[in-house]
Amino acid sequence: ATYSSAKIAKVYANLQPRFAATYQLNDWSSLKFSYARNVQYLHLLSNSTGSNPTDLWIPSSNNVKPELSDQVSAGYYRNSNDNKYEFSGEIYYKSLQNQIDYKNGAILIANQNVESQLVYGIGRAYGLELYAKKKFGKLTGWISYTLSRTERKFTSINNGSWFPATQDETHSLSVVAIYKASKKWTLSSDFVYNTGNAVTWPSGKYTINGNTIFYYAQRNGYRMPPYNRLDVSATLQGKKRGQFDHDWTFSIYNLYARENPYFVQFQNDPNDPQKTQAVQYALFRLIP
């Protein structure tokens, strides 16, 4: 359709209600419940079949409806030892409507009508979140762990079956420790671990006129290698000069120089074209 200048083509209006409740079990523990609806009018499209995914943002339109999510959660929270320690556990479930993705065999390069390459479906996300924190003392810090699943469903993808979303991470772990070594020196470290993202990698290949064509069977049927990293730092508190404070911070990012994958590219083996090589590219090894 063609619209004249400044003409409104489509209007979407959605309520976004929120509800939260807390039930105090005693002086140190409580239960919490919540519900929230969220609406997203700007949409991110990721091409997970490419070696280096190119992301595209598109707005809502006559064809592209706003994405809707309804999330419910319930959690148990507890403090102990005069609030020195804090614990929590929470479960959640999120229902997703008007999800958007590329259809199989979508033409993406120099396409001026990207909406013709889209399909629409539903999604869901659910999981368990655990958290523990030490708030006082020379050694403080926290541990958080999430066990989750994020899935999508489209009639024309994977035979209409549920499949992992690109951002699906089964396990996510974070550990932070802060040690007050003296009045001036503070040492800290953090460790993170995440399950690799779901990706669409080739399941086979064939040759046409001397060119290798990769065959993709299942959407997001593979996983990137897991991501993990350890950072350490030391902070020296400087002298206060008038109204100003200053510190010296010395840190090392990715202490054990883990080569976490940025993307993986598939190519013919130079020594045997019948075989395929998976070449991993990484960014940011040890950085002081």
Short mmCIF file of all heavy atoms in Angstrom, two decimals, residues 23 36 42 48 56 73 81 91 98 101 122 126 135 147 159 169 174 178 194-195 228 232 246 256 280 288:
data_model
loop_
_atom_site.label_atom_id
_atom_site.label_comp_id
_atom_site.label_asym_id
_atom_site.label_seq_id
_atom_site.Cartn_x
_atom_site.Cartn_y
_atom_site.Cartn_z
N TYR A 23 3.65 -11.87 50.66
CA TYR A 23 3.06 -12.47 51.86
C TYR A 23 4.19 -12.74 52.85
O TYR A 23 5.10 -13.53 52.58
CB TYR A 23 2.33 -13.77 51.53
CG TYR A 23 1.68 -14.41 52.73
CD1 TYR A 23 0.51 -13.89 53.26
CD2 TYR A 23 2.24 -15.53 53.34
CE1 TYR A 23 -0.10 -14.47 54.37
CE2 TYR A 23 1.65 -16.13 54.43
CZ TYR A 23 0.48 -15.59 54.95
OH TYR A 23 -0.10 -16.16 56.05
N ALA A 36 2.89 -9.61 34.87
CA ALA A 36 3.18 -8.42 34.06
C ALA A 36 2.94 -8.72 32.59
O ALA A 36 3.26 -9.81 32.11
CB ALA A 36 4.62 -7.96 34.26
N LEU A 42 9.04 -2.61 18.43
CA LEU A 42 10.21 -2.67 17.57
C LEU A 42 10.79 -4.08 17.67
O LEU A 42 10.95 -4.61 18.77
CB LEU A 42 11.25 -1.63 18.03
CG LEU A 42 12.41 -1.33 17.08
CD1 LEU A 42 11.88 -0.76 15.76
CD2 LEU A 42 13.38 -0.34 17.73
N SER A 48 20.36 -16.63 11.97
CA SER A 48 21.23 -17.57 12.65
C SER A 48 21.85 -18.60 11.71
O SER A 48 22.60 -19.45 12.14
CB SER A 48 20.45 -18.31 13.75
OG SER A 48 19.38 -19.04 13.20
N LEU A 56 18.69 -7.25 12.18
CA LEU A 56 17.89 -6.22 11.54
C LEU A 56 16.75 -5.82 12.47
O LEU A 56 16.06 -6.69 13.02
CB LEU A 56 17.33 -6.73 10.20
CG LEU A 56 16.37 -5.81 9.46
CD1 LEU A 56 17.11 -4.56 8.97
CD2 LEU A 56 15.73 -6.53 8.28
N SER A 73 5.16 -15.08 37.98
CA SER A 73 6.30 -15.59 38.73
C SER A 73 5.92 -15.71 40.20
O SER A 73 5.02 -15.02 40.70
CB SER A 73 7.51 -14.66 38.58
OG SER A 73 7.24 -13.37 39.11
N ASN A 81 20.74 -14.64 59.94
CA ASN A 81 21.90 -14.15 60.69
C ASN A 81 21.97 -12.63 60.69
O ASN A 81 22.96 -12.02 60.27
CB ASN A 81 23.19 -14.75 60.11
CG ASN A 81 24.36 -14.63 61.05
OD1 ASN A 81 24.20 -14.26 62.21
ND2 ASN A 81 25.55 -14.95 60.55
N ILE A 91 10.43 -19.06 40.45
CA ILE A 91 10.06 -19.73 39.21
C ILE A 91 9.22 -18.76 38.38
O ILE A 91 8.53 -17.89 38.93
CB ILE A 91 9.30 -21.04 39.46
CG1 ILE A 91 8.05 -20.78 40.30
CG2 ILE A 91 10.19 -22.07 40.12
CD1 ILE A 91 7.16 -22.01 40.48
N ASN A 98 2.64 -13.27 18.77
CA ASN A 98 3.10 -12.48 17.61
C ASN A 98 4.62 -12.51 17.47
O ASN A 98 5.26 -11.49 17.19
CB ASN A 98 2.62 -11.02 17.71
CG ASN A 98 1.12 -10.91 17.81
OD1 ASN A 98 0.38 -11.79 17.36
ND2 ASN A 98 0.64 -9.83 18.42
N ASP A 101 9.98 -14.35 12.79
CA ASP A 101 11.24 -14.97 12.37
C ASP A 101 11.27 -15.03 10.84
O ASP A 101 10.25 -14.80 10.17
CB ASP A 101 11.38 -16.37 12.95
CG ASP A 101 12.83 -16.78 13.13
OD1 ASP A 101 13.70 -16.23 12.42
OD2 ASP A 101 13.11 -17.65 13.98
N ILE A 122 4.28 -18.23 17.92
CA ILE A 122 4.16 -18.02 19.36
C ILE A 122 5.46 -18.45 20.04
O ILE A 122 6.35 -19.03 19.41
CB ILE A 122 2.97 -18.80 19.95
CG1 ILE A 122 3.13 -20.30 19.68
CG2 ILE A 122 1.65 -18.30 19.38
CD1 ILE A 122 2.05 -21.17 20.31
N TYR A 126 10.34 -20.35 30.42
CA TYR A 126 10.07 -20.74 31.80
C TYR A 126 11.38 -21.17 32.44
O TYR A 126 12.35 -21.56 31.76
CB TYR A 126 9.05 -21.89 31.87
CG TYR A 126 9.34 -23.06 30.96
CD1 TYR A 126 10.06 -24.16 31.40
CD2 TYR A 126 8.89 -23.05 29.63
CE1 TYR A 126 10.32 -25.23 30.56
CE2 TYR A 126 9.15 -24.12 28.79
CZ TYR A 126 9.87 -25.20 29.26
OH TYR A 126 10.14 -26.26 28.41
N LYS A 135 26.29 -10.20 52.66
CA LYS A 135 26.22 -8.75 52.58
C LYS A 135 27.26 -8.03 53.44
O LYS A 135 27.61 -6.89 53.15
CB LYS A 135 24.82 -8.28 52.99
CG LYS A 135 23.72 -8.89 52.13
CD LYS A 135 22.34 -8.66 52.69
CE LYS A 135 21.94 -7.21 52.66
NZ LYS A 135 20.52 -7.03 53.08
N LEU A 147 18.21 -21.85 35.62
CA LEU A 147 17.91 -23.00 34.76
C LEU A 147 16.66 -22.63 33.97
O LEU A 147 15.60 -22.39 34.56
CB LEU A 147 17.66 -24.25 35.60
CG LEU A 147 17.21 -25.51 34.86
CD1 LEU A 147 18.30 -26.01 33.92
CD2 LEU A 147 16.80 -26.60 35.84
N ASN A 159 8.52 -28.25 11.01
CA ASN A 159 7.28 -29.02 10.97
C ASN A 159 6.29 -28.61 12.07
O ASN A 159 5.51 -29.44 12.56
CB ASN A 159 7.57 -30.52 11.07
CG ASN A 159 8.38 -31.04 9.90
OD1 ASN A 159 8.13 -30.67 8.75
ND2 ASN A 159 9.37 -31.89 10.18
N GLU A 169 19.23 -20.17 26.82
CA GLU A 169 20.40 -20.61 27.58
C GLU A 169 19.92 -21.53 28.69
O GLU A 169 19.23 -21.10 29.61
CB GLU A 169 21.16 -19.43 28.19
CG GLU A 169 21.85 -18.53 27.18
CD GLU A 169 22.59 -17.38 27.83
OE1 GLU A 169 22.41 -17.17 29.06
OE2 GLU A 169 23.34 -16.68 27.14
N SER A 174 26.65 -17.20 37.69
CA SER A 174 27.47 -16.03 37.96
C SER A 174 27.93 -16.07 39.41
O SER A 174 27.12 -16.26 40.32
CB SER A 174 26.69 -14.74 37.69
OG SER A 174 27.47 -13.60 38.02
N ILE A 178 34.18 -10.40 46.69
CA ILE A 178 34.85 -9.14 47.00
C ILE A 178 35.51 -9.27 48.37
O ILE A 178 34.84 -9.59 49.36
CB ILE A 178 33.85 -7.96 47.00
CG1 ILE A 178 33.12 -7.89 45.66
CG2 ILE A 178 34.56 -6.65 47.29
CD1 ILE A 178 31.94 -6.93 45.66
N ASN A 194 27.73 -19.62 30.73
CA ASN A 194 26.45 -19.69 30.05
C ASN A 194 26.48 -20.82 29.02
O ASN A 194 27.49 -21.02 28.33
CB ASN A 194 26.13 -18.38 29.32
CG ASN A 194 26.00 -17.21 30.25
OD1 ASN A 194 25.31 -17.28 31.26
ND2 ASN A 194 26.68 -16.12 29.92
N THR A 195 25.36 -21.53 28.92
CA THR A 195 25.21 -22.48 27.82
C THR A 195 25.27 -21.73 26.49
O THR A 195 24.78 -20.60 26.38
CB THR A 195 23.85 -23.20 27.95
OG1 THR A 195 23.81 -23.89 29.19
CG2 THR A 195 23.66 -24.20 26.82
N ASN A 228 32.42 -19.14 29.06
CA ASN A 228 32.84 -18.95 30.45
C ASN A 228 34.05 -18.02 30.51
O ASN A 228 34.84 -17.95 29.56
CB ASN A 228 33.10 -20.28 31.15
CG ASN A 228 34.19 -21.09 30.49
OD1 ASN A 228 35.37 -20.91 30.77
ND2 ASN A 228 33.81 -22.01 29.60
N VAL A 232 39.49 -10.70 37.27
CA VAL A 232 40.01 -10.35 38.60
C VAL A 232 40.40 -8.88 38.60
O VAL A 232 40.74 -8.31 37.55
CB VAL A 232 41.22 -11.23 38.99
CG1 VAL A 232 40.80 -12.68 39.13
CG2 VAL A 232 42.34 -11.08 37.99
N HIS A 246 39.51 9.52 44.77
CA HIS A 246 40.05 8.85 43.58
C HIS A 246 40.59 7.49 43.98
O HIS A 246 41.04 7.28 45.11
CB HIS A 246 41.13 9.69 42.90
CG HIS A 246 42.41 9.81 43.69
ND1 HIS A 246 42.57 10.71 44.73
CD2 HIS A 246 43.57 9.12 43.59
CE1 HIS A 246 43.79 10.58 45.23
NE2 HIS A 246 44.42 9.62 44.56
N TYR A 256 42.13 -16.58 32.28
CA TYR A 256 42.75 -17.77 31.70
C TYR A 256 42.65 -17.80 30.18
O TYR A 256 42.78 -18.86 29.54
CB TYR A 256 42.19 -19.05 32.33
CG TYR A 256 40.69 -19.16 32.41
CD1 TYR A 256 39.93 -19.54 31.30
CD2 TYR A 256 40.02 -18.89 33.60
CE1 TYR A 256 38.55 -19.65 31.37
CE2 TYR A 256 38.64 -19.00 33.68
CZ TYR A 256 37.91 -19.39 32.57
OH TYR A 256 36.54 -19.50 32.64
N GLN A 280 36.31 -21.63 14.15
CA GLN A 280 35.78 -20.77 15.21
C GLN A 280 36.59 -19.49 15.29
O GLN A 280 37.82 -19.51 15.27
CB GLN A 280 35.83 -21.52 16.56
CG GLN A 280 35.44 -20.67 17.75
CD GLN A 280 35.46 -21.44 19.05
OE1 GLN A 280 34.74 -22.42 19.21
NE2 GLN A 280 36.29 -21.00 19.99
N PRO A 288 44.53 -6.91 30.01
CA PRO A 288 44.81 -6.20 31.27
C PRO A 288 44.23 -4.79 31.24
O PRO A 288 44.06 -4.22 30.17
CB PRO A 288 46.34 -6.17 31.31
CG PRO A 288 46.74 -6.19 29.87
CD PRO A 288 45.70 -6.99 29.13
#
